[in-house]
């Protein structure tokens, strides 16, 4: 049984522009900690191979100290093989850290745009891959004919884009993956991880990034651990999806219809945070929606992350203020008619009914007033 850890898109030393200098530095340190945790996991699981499918670091920001950390982590696990394919953020271009750094003997880095392979006969594995030499890679590596050894586990590591056929970052297709004939294709570049799926005889998956860096990368992040074997030409594998992230980005949308005070807003946010199980590891973006009185002021700038039980919070008030209820009730225009129709549901004790009524009033009033409707 061969044990494989598949990771990608670590982006060591990536800047964190959302925060001030101190917090940005803290997040960069946490990212290094995430990398160390992954290396510890590989050691604990006695992984035979760690596949790093591109963007291990950001070339424009990577420091000497970070490269020393990477090398020391690889050196500390001499029984494991580390196979790396440079991606669009860490291409193996002239002056690249990949070319300047002396890696230990158990590290194998692809340095050509042409498809190459590393053979590990002692464990019956062959790993194919290629390198970005610049930020753009227009070729399709799966057009290369591979001469596979059917008695070995054949793996292809690719920093590639399966979602956008017009991508400048190695656009590929599912049919190309299938035609490769490989047993497993380890993908990087798309930061949203996926479970392994099978096309033909080939399994493939994006490991995703191990640590989110913005609200475009929400949820828990990690990698893929595989226990695989091949007998009589038949490949079998078991897949696990460990979490590695120190922090996670999350979004919430909360209906504030009928509420009017800062205390009520905080109570709703706390309730939602607890319901979702968010904690000190969470960076949270909250969007307030619904219909509120015109004189409501939630004072969102006062909301404190520690009071809400999270690491970081930002609150965006997107509620629709309207006149007082009595005025709208007596309004003879279509606006008043809409309000009178929905008013009982806006006061409902059923949260779902209240939310649906709020959305209906929001869209209705926006249409009547000619306002733009913005979704979360």
């Amino acid at each position: 049984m061969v044990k494989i850890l598949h990771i990608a898109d670590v982006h060591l030393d990536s800047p964190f522009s959302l925060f001030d200098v101190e917090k940005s530095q803290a997040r960069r340190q946490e990212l290094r900690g995430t990398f160390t945790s992954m290396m510890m996991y590989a050691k604990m699981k006695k992984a035979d191979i760690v596949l790093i499918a591109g963007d291990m670091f950001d070339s424009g920001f990577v420091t000497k100290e970070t490269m020393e950390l990477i090398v020391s982590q690889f050196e500390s696990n001499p029984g494991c093989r580390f196979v790396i394919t440079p991606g669009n953020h860490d291409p193996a271009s002239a002056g690249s850290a990949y070319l300047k750094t002396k890696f230990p003997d158990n590290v194998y880095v692809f340095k050509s745009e042409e498809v190459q392979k590393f053979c590990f006969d002692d464990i019956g594995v062959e790993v194919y891959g290629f390198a970005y030499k610049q930020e753009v890679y227009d070729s399709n590596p799966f057009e290369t004919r591979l001469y596979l050894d059917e008695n070995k586990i054949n793996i292809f590591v690719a920093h590639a884009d399966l979602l956008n056929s017009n991508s400048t970052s190695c656009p590929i297709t599912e049919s190309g993956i299938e035609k490769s004939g490989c047993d497993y294709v380890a993908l990087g570049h798309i930061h949203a991880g996926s479970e392994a799926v099978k096309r033909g005889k080939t399994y493939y998956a994006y490991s995703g990034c191990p640590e989110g860096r913005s609200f475009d990368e929400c949820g828990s992040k990690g990698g893929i651990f595989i226990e695989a074997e091949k007998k009589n030409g038949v490949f079998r594998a078991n897949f696990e999806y460990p979490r590695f992230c120190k922090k996670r980005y999350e979004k919430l949308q909360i209906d504030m219809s009928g509420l009017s005070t800062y205390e009520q807003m905080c109570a709703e946010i706390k309730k939602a945070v607890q319901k979702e199980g968010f904690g000190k590891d969470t960076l949270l973006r909250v969007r307030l929606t619904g219909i509120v009185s015109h004189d409501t002021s939630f004072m969102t700038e006062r909301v404190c992350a520690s009071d809400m039980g999270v690491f970081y919070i930002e609150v965006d008030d997107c509620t629709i203020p309207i006149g007082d209820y009595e005025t709208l009730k007596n309004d003879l225009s279509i606006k008043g008619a809409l309000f009178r129709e929905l008013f009982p549901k806006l006061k409902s004790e059923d949260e779902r009914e209240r939310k649906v009524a709020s959305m209906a009033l929001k869209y209705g009033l926006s249409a009547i007033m000619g306002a733009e409707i913005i979704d979360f």
Side-chain angles (χ1 to χ4, degrees), residues 23 50 70 118-119 123 141 145 159 175 200 221 241 248 257 292 301 307 322 328 359:
K23 280 194 173 181
V50 173
I70 292 171
F118 295 119
C119 300
I123 56 173
R145 183 177 178 182
H159 194 76
S175 61
K221 303 295 183 181
Y241 305 91
R248 57 173 171 162
S257 296
V292 299
E301 70 281 356
D307 291 342
I322 58 175
L328 273 175
M359 291 299 292

Side-chain angles (χ1 to χ4, degrees), residues 54-107:
D55 291 356
M56 180 168 64
F57 52 80
D58 277 9
S59 289
F61 302 97
V62 67
T63 63
K64 178 183 177 183
E65 290 73 22
T66 293
M67 293 308 301
E68 289 174 348
L69 169 68
I70 292 171
V71 170
S72 69
Q73 289 297 312
F74 294 161
E75 284 179 334
S76 70
N77 193 0
C80 182
R81 303 142 184 91
F82 297 88
V83 180
I84 305 168
T85 176
N88 59 307
H89 282 275
D90 60 352
S93 55
S96 164
Y98 285 121
L99 305 183
K100 295 190 295 184
T101 302
K102 180 174 174 52
F103 289 105
D105 293 340
N106 60 332
V107 177

